[in-house]
Amino acid sequence: MRFRCKIVDVSCLNHFTRVVNTITKLTKSCTLRLTPANLYFILTDKVANGGVSMWCELCQANFFDEYQMEGVSVEQNEIYLEMVPENISRALKTAQNAKFVKIKLTNKHCPCLTMAVELPSLSSTSRIVTHDIPVTVIPRRLWNDFKEPTVPDFDVSIYLPAIKTMKSVVERMKNLSNFIVIEANRNGEIILKIETDLVSVSTHFKDLGNPHLISIDASQNSIQERDPDFMSEARVDIRKLLQFLAGQQVNPNKSICNIVHKRMVHFILLHDDVSLQYFIPALA
Amino acid sequence: MKSVISVFRSLPSLEKTVEKCLISLNTNSSRLVIQLFCKYGVTKTHNLSYQDCESLQALYNTDTCPNVLRAPARLLSDAVVHFPLTLSEVTLMASPGKVILKNYVEDEVDPNKAMLTELSLSREEFLEYQLQKLDPITFCLREFRGLLGFAESSGLPISIHFDCAGCPAVFSVDDTVLEAHFVLATLSDTDLASQSQNYGAALPNNNDDDFLGDDLDYMIAMETTLAGASSPPHSPVFNNRPLPGPTLEEQAVSSGDEDEEEREVPGTPPNKKFRSLFFGSILQSSGQAAQEVLAEDSDG
């Protein structure tokens, strides 16, 4: 197994930092999957993290000036690492004016992702900071646990309103309730709702638009027959939703919310070269 | 300390209104008296209680230290930003060509989980670079950050005098009106010895690294540094001895107040506040010394 890459361009570095920061906000530890074309940050739906799962995909060519990898074997040219994204985030935080950042897989006292940051200095030689970030190499037999999550046939797919607006609404609701109901229909409406013994609050968003679905075949039976005004809903842990809304730093071009009635909410954030999917299971 | 800070809070307004400041010790009532003589005949008097404390007298002599490094405070503070705020100790390794700072991983931490950060500063960045002994030293980062903040605010370079592991490291700032010595305890030698043993064991693994092309020299540098220094620490001695807020000691120059204030640095005041206090003390130290002389003359 070999892996090394290098970022020189400042905007790429910033962009990569933002992605990693977003991941850091969503999870303490995650799986980093490396393939020749892409990097993936993966969180699988374990009970321990409330059944939430995440799938973040980056196209390496858009971030790295150099990228070389050799997977476990020629057929399985991939590497899976378990790591703490906060460590990368921390290392990148002080690397914002770096001349370059190199990341590579090394075997020191334990397997590490070693980040070497070259910083400008006053003298002719530059300062080099290295961070050894411990990682666990995930053996091949466990790779199946990290398959891209299949998106179940959702009942509604809708564009999200501005995430900042949503965030400020949900932040206030969080003070009142632990759960939030997300409702949406195929007529461009989303309702965020909390209900407690004392108070019910709902916020309505209109004219959001529904993306045209690709998987018409699969969803025909469920969606086609439905009235476009029918509200599909899911009740989720409000902290998980807020974590997602507050943590994201990728400024997506498109953000989509899919709801499987009473089962789960699926968010997709699309930015040119990054896609982030986040799944929150519905609670009874 | 806090109450002293509160007296000198909001420097800008003090500078506008206060004409002189008198600091005296009232031994009869056990009070430290700070009097601010302001404009329009207003006098503010603060009576502060104080406690007797054992003063830790660090034994050190900067002249006999084989190693001296001098660098702008900015260089060092730029270097320590790379370490996490929660990190307690940092190891400094000086070699003829460069100085390496790395985080010291404590005993309890699983070395396979801790992130290691290492930074090298080349010799050219230092103003003075005298080395005779190449022992790595490990000292407290928190206090180091504090004194860097102080040195940076006064814009003065820091001199580091150090000997071997376990001997105090003296960080000093000099100026015509101010001379401050911060003495930090360093981790004793026995701990480091056990560490380097660990290193011996850890080293062979390094050979698995594959380094392609241009990275080679940089890797070699890394391996040599590994051979000397810290990571999985075994520091029973150090841990049992709850860092006595590394002995900070100073020889203040122009006035006695400084002495008192600086000695307290190992305590907890947040940097900003204590920095501003220091400013206060610098400003007064020059002014006030003169004042006192005047008073004595007239008495006599």
Side-chain angles (χ1 to χ4, degrees):
Chain A
M1 273 189 296
R2 284 153 191 268
F3 169 70
R4 54 183 260 130
C5 63
K6 186 173 171 182
I7 306 181
V8 177
D9 187 83
V10 179
S11 61
C12 288
L13 183 60
N14 280 333
H15 192 18
F16 186 63
T17 308
R18 279 199 299 272
V19 172
V20 176
N21 286 346
T22 305
I23 307 293
T24 305
K25 292 276 163 59
L26 293 176
T27 176
K28 276 218 159 63
S29 114
C30 71
T31 304
L32 173 63
R33 174 188 171 203
L34 304 163
T35 68
N38 293 316
L39 281 89
Y40 303 84
F41 292 96
I42 305 166
L43 177 67
T44 53
D45 53 341
K46 296 209 182 84
V47 184
N49 49 40
V52 172
S53 56
M54 172 192 78
W55 182 266
C56 178
E57 191 172 328
L58 326 179
C59 172
Q60 60 88 359
N62 288 323
F63 288 90
F64 301 104
D65 298 82
E66 277 171 39
Y67 185 95
Q68 295 167 20
M69 70 151 295
E70 234 172 76
V72 177
S73 66
V74 182
E75 308 84 59
Q76 291 175 298
N77 195 10
E78 301 189 9
I79 300 174
Y80 284 74
L81 304 170
E82 180 78 29
M83 43 84 82
V84 178
E86 200 204 339
N87 284 338
I88 300 194
S89 194
R90 227 180 58 203
L92 288 171
K93 196 166 80 185
T94 53
Q96 290 309 301
N97 57 350
K99 289 188 192 161
F100 64 75
V101 175
K102 281 183 192 170
I103 307 175
K104 66 185 150 188
L105 190 60
T106 56
N107 196 0
K108 303 221 168 164
H109 54 283
C110 66
C112 285
L113 268 183
T114 297
M115 281 183 63
V117 181
E118 186 168 326
L119 296 161
S121 71
L122 300 171
S123 70
S124 53
T125 46
S126 31
R127 294 173 201 163
I128 292 176
V129 187
T130 60
H131 303 273
D132 292 330
I133 300 165
V135 294
T136 317
V137 178
I138 296 171
R140 246 182 292 184
R141 63 191 151 79
L142 298 177
W143 284 11
N144 277 336
D145 297 351
F146 304 100
K147 284 264 164 63
E148 178 161 7
T150 47
V151 181
D153 301 336
F154 34 81
D155 299 294
V156 175
S157 178
I158 188 164
Y159 289 117
L160 281 177
I163 289 187
K164 265 195 188 154
T165 319
M166 250 181 109
K167 183 189 133 203
S168 60
V169 169
V170 176
E171 243 167 16
R172 281 163 184 77
M173 288 179 165
K174 185 176 158 266
N175 298 329
L176 300 169
S177 171
N178 294 327
F179 304 102
I180 186 166
V181 179
I182 305 174
E183 293 183 5
N185 65 16
R186 297 173 58 226
N187 211 4
E189 287 176 59
I190 284 187
I191 303 174
L192 301 176
K193 197 161 77 177
I194 53 158
E195 277 165 344
T196 69
D197 296 342
L198 294 171
V199 64
S200 299
V201 182
S202 63
T203 307
H204 299 246
F205 296 92
K206 281 185 195 160
D207 305 322
L208 297 169
N210 301 77
H212 293 286
L213 302 172
I214 328 111
S215 57
I216 293 170
D217 284 354
S219 47
Q220 238 166 7
N221 348 349
S222 54
I223 293 189
Q224 297 292 37
E225 297 157 13
R226 283 224 177 111
D227 170 11
D229 287 330
F230 176 82
M231 300 301 275
S232 301
E233 61 167 57
R235 185 166 170 267
V236 299
D237 185 337
I238 198 162
R239 284 169 308 165
K240 295 289 172 198
L241 176 65
L242 188 62
Q243 205 176 29
F244 173 71
L245 296 173
Q248 78 83 24
Q249 298 184 5
V250 286
N251 304 321
N253 305 345
K254 268 185 193 163
S255 44
I256 299 169
C257 167
N258 296 325
I259 298 178
V260 186
H261 190 54
K262 303 217 169 193
R263 275 188 50 209
M264 73 149 67
V265 191
H266 171 213
F267 294 98
I268 311 175
L269 303 184
L270 291 174
H271 188 92
D272 313 330
D273 38 25
V274 186
S275 77
L276 174 70
Q277 299 183 57
Y278 194 64
F279 300 79
I280 310 177
L283 302 160
Chain B
M1 188 68 176
K2 271 206 178 127
S3 49
V4 178
I5 290 170
S6 68
V7 174
F8 295 104
R9 189 165 290 155
S10 84
L11 271 183
S13 72
L14 279 183
E15 277 167 7
K16 263 185 225 159
T17 55
V18 179
E19 285 166 342
K20 64 177 181 177
C21 167
L22 180 70
I23 301 179
S24 56
L25 208 54
N26 183 340
T27 40
N28 298 332
S29 58
S30 300
R31 289 286 183 274
L32 175 70
V33 183
I34 302 179
Q35 284 186 299
L36 301 173
F37 297 92
C38 306
K39 278 182 189 165
Y40 313 115
V42 176
T43 308
K44 289 183 196 166
T45 307
H46 302 265
N47 288 299
L48 308 174
S49 62
Y50 60 86
Q51 277 174 308
D52 250 354
C53 61
E54 248 177 80
S55 84
L56 275 165
Q57 193 70 38
L59 291 175
Y60 67 93
N61 183 356
T62 52
D63 301 332
T64 58
C65 281
N67 299 338
V68 181
L69 299 174
R70 202 155 69 91
R74 189 59 207 263
L75 172 74
L76 295 168
S77 58
D78 276 353
V80 295
V81 293
H82 297 280
F83 297 99
L85 286 173
T86 49
L87 181 68
S88 52
E89 287 113 30
V90 71
T91 301
L92 181 146
M93 288 178 290
S95 64
K98 63 184 174 185
V99 168
I100 290 166
L101 285 171
K102 62 195 292 178
N103 57 343
Y104 178 83
V105 183
E106 283 188 66
D107 214 3
E108 309 90 70
V109 183
D110 178 358
N112 291 344
K113 293 212 173 109
M115 172 164 153
L116 296 179
T117 300
E118 190 177 306
L119 171 105
S120 68
L121 298 169
S122 79
R123 170 181 193 146
E124 293 105 82
E125 299 205 61
F126 289 84
L127 303 170
E128 193 178 337
Y129 203 93
Q130 280 180 35
L131 292 179
Q132 288 169 36
K133 278 193 189 175
L134 302 179
D135 285 356
I137 54 165
T138 301
F139 51 87
C140 261
L141 183 56
R142 218 179 97 91
E143 280 71 17
F144 186 46
R145 281 206 168 97
L147 73 92
L148 282 177
F150 170 59
E152 215 179 338
S153 68
S154 57
L156 299 170
I158 288 191
S159 304
I160 310 172
H161 298 262
F162 62 100
D163 192 348
C164 55
C167 303
V170 185
F171 298 79
S172 53
V173 177
D174 289 285
D175 191 4
T176 45
V177 290
L178 174 86
E179 181 182 330
H181 288 212
F182 302 84
V183 183
L184 300 196
T186 63
L187 214 59
S188 83
D189 213 3
T190 49
D191 312 326
L192 286 170
S194 65
Q195 272 182 36
S196 44
Q197 273 171 15
N198 282 349
Y199 265 106
L203 263 179
N205 295 343
N206 289 330
N207 301 337
D208 301 357
D209 288 333
D210 31 81
F211 300 111
L212 310 168
D214 65 315
D215 264 340
L216 206 62
D217 46 354
Y218 142 68
M219 269 330 294
I220 292 167
M222 197 130 79
E223 288 197 352
T224 49
T225 59
L226 265 172
S230 80
S231 154
H234 291 274
S235 54
V237 181
F238 193 65
N239 289 335
N240 293 343
R241 168 167 51 98
L243 280 184
T247 337
L248 279 225
E249 190 55 42
E250 69 305 299
Q251 297 173 336
V253 169
S254 29
S255 95
D257 334 314
E258 237 165 5
D259 219 31
E260 227 142 28
E261 282 150 4
E262 282 169 27
R263 189 168 291 139
E264 305 229 40
V265 171
T268 38
N271 282 349
K272 262 191 195 156
K273 282 188 185 167
F274 101 77
R275 202 179 297 165
S276 67
L277 172 74
F278 270 124
F279 261 142
S281 75
I282 299 168
L283 291 171
Q284 285 146 18
S285 62
S286 39
Q288 199 218 325
Q291 297 278 351
E292 274 184 343
V293 174
L294 279 180
E296 275 169 14
D297 279 352
S298 59
D299 280 348

